[in-house]
Amino acid sequence: MEIERINENTVKFFLSYNDIEERGFTREEVWYNRDKSEELFWEMMDEINEEAEFEVDGPLWIQVHAMNKGIEVTVTRAQTSEDGELEESPFSGDDSKKPFRPNIEVLDDSEENATIGPGGTMEWLENTFYFKEFEEVIMLSSRVKEYNVTTSLHSLEDIFYLHVLYDAPDMDDMQKTDLYSVITEFGTASNVTIHRLEEYGNVIMESDVFTQTDSFFGTP
């Protein structure tokens, strides 16, 4: 595990999937088993407290950034106003490190069994993938037309970027994982945000990337 102390209230750590397995957890448990993911998190916080002297003494803002080889987690002590209300998340807005998989929530260790966020779980919201050749997008589109997601296709510096927004209310994490697995057979998960693509890239398809691509370029 790699630990970086950002400032007095913020610490960041990277945990590879090998690190996770060496600690007795699986990748699936981290994403789908709430008790296991919280157990791993608190183990990491104990280790971080020993190495970086980052003590947990109240609510926390947590940013989880999924990567190809592991997860990057940024933890910030939540600040409160004079009336005791939590201030807004430090990760909001167009932060280039805003997570593409789980939503940002508050974690409070004041209770024996800590919960993540007002909804109790982390929510996997979106992903961006890149493709070196448009042919890879064509091959992918014939495989994933049935998934109900919002998509857009962009180009930036001669690379194709697919943005996927999991906004279907009936789509669970298992379905998202299935789609993620299929897409990464052809493309690669990217840290480039949709905000950067919209500002600096070119829009190739604003929506329905899979359906449009397969309709125009797929095999009859």
Side-chain angles (χ1 to χ4, degrees):
M1 180 175 69
E2 300 174 10
I3 303 173
E4 178 184 359
R5 185 66 181 266
I6 305 301
N7 54 44
E8 180 182 357
N9 293 313
T10 302
V11 66
K12 179 190 297 184
F13 65 90
F14 175 80
L15 198 63
S16 71
Y17 292 121
N18 286 335
D19 291 332
I20 291 172
E21 292 175 357
E22 288 175 358
R23 286 169 169 79
F25 300 87
T26 66
R27 185 184 314 195
E28 289 73 20
E29 286 176 335
V30 171
W31 288 117
Y32 306 129
N33 188 314
R34 175 178 165 183
D35 291 337
K36 288 292 186 180
S37 62
E38 290 180 1
E39 180 183 347
L40 175 62
F41 175 80
W42 290 117
E43 283 188 12
M44 294 302 95
M45 293 310 299
D46 287 340
E47 186 173 332
I48 289 170
N49 184 32
E50 293 179 3
E51 296 190 22
E53 297 184 353
F54 187 86
E55 184 177 355
V56 177
D57 56 2
L60 302 172
W61 285 109
I62 301 173
Q63 180 191 54
V64 184
H65 188 183
M67 307 173 74
N68 286 338
K69 297 183 179 180
I71 57 174
E72 180 187 81
V73 182
T74 304
V75 181
T76 297
R77 295 190 184 100
Q79 304 298 306
T80 57
S81 60
E82 294 181 356
D83 57 4
E85 295 294 326
L86 284 177
E87 296 182 355
E88 292 185 359
S89 164
F91 306 123
S92 60
D94 293 343
D95 188 343
S96 62
K97 286 296 184 181
K98 187 175 181 180
F100 55 86
R101 282 182 75 167
N103 192 15
I104 303 164
E105 301 290 6
V106 175
L107 179 62
D108 192 337
D109 72 329
S110 59
E111 298 180 357
E112 181 178 356
N113 295 316
T115 58
I116 299 180
T121 58
M122 292 187 295
E123 183 180 2
W124 183 354
L125 295 179
E126 58 184 306
N127 278 121
T128 302
F129 306 88
Y130 73 85
F131 304 81
K132 295 182 179 179
E133 303 291 340
F134 186 70
E135 183 66 27
E136 296 171 325
V137 181
I138 296 175
M139 292 187 293
L140 166 66
S141 296
S142 64
R143 295 269 305 274
V144 292
K145 291 181 295 182
E146 71 277 10
Y147 287 95
N148 186 17
V149 291
T150 299
T151 56
S152 59
L153 187 66
H154 309 257
S155 65
L156 177 65
E157 298 177 352
D158 298 323
I159 298 293
F160 296 97
Y161 288 90
L162 171 70
H163 180 253
V164 179
L165 180 63
Y166 309 107
D167 55 353
D170 58 344
M171 192 173 193
D172 59 27
D173 280 351
M174 187 61 70
Q175 291 173 307
K176 296 173 186 178
T177 298
D178 290 341
L179 176 57
Y180 184 95
S181 298
V182 176
I183 295 177
T184 51
E185 290 181 23
F186 302 91
T188 304
S190 171
N191 297 340
V192 175
T193 66
I194 184 60
H195 309 293
R196 181 181 176 189
L197 293 174
E198 291 175 341
E199 183 171 357
Y200 299 106
N202 298 309
V203 178
I204 299 175
M205 298 182 190
E206 293 184 353
S207 62
D208 300 324
V209 174
F210 302 144
T211 301
Q212 288 194 67
T213 301
D214 190 62
S215 175
F216 287 114
F217 303 100
T219 303

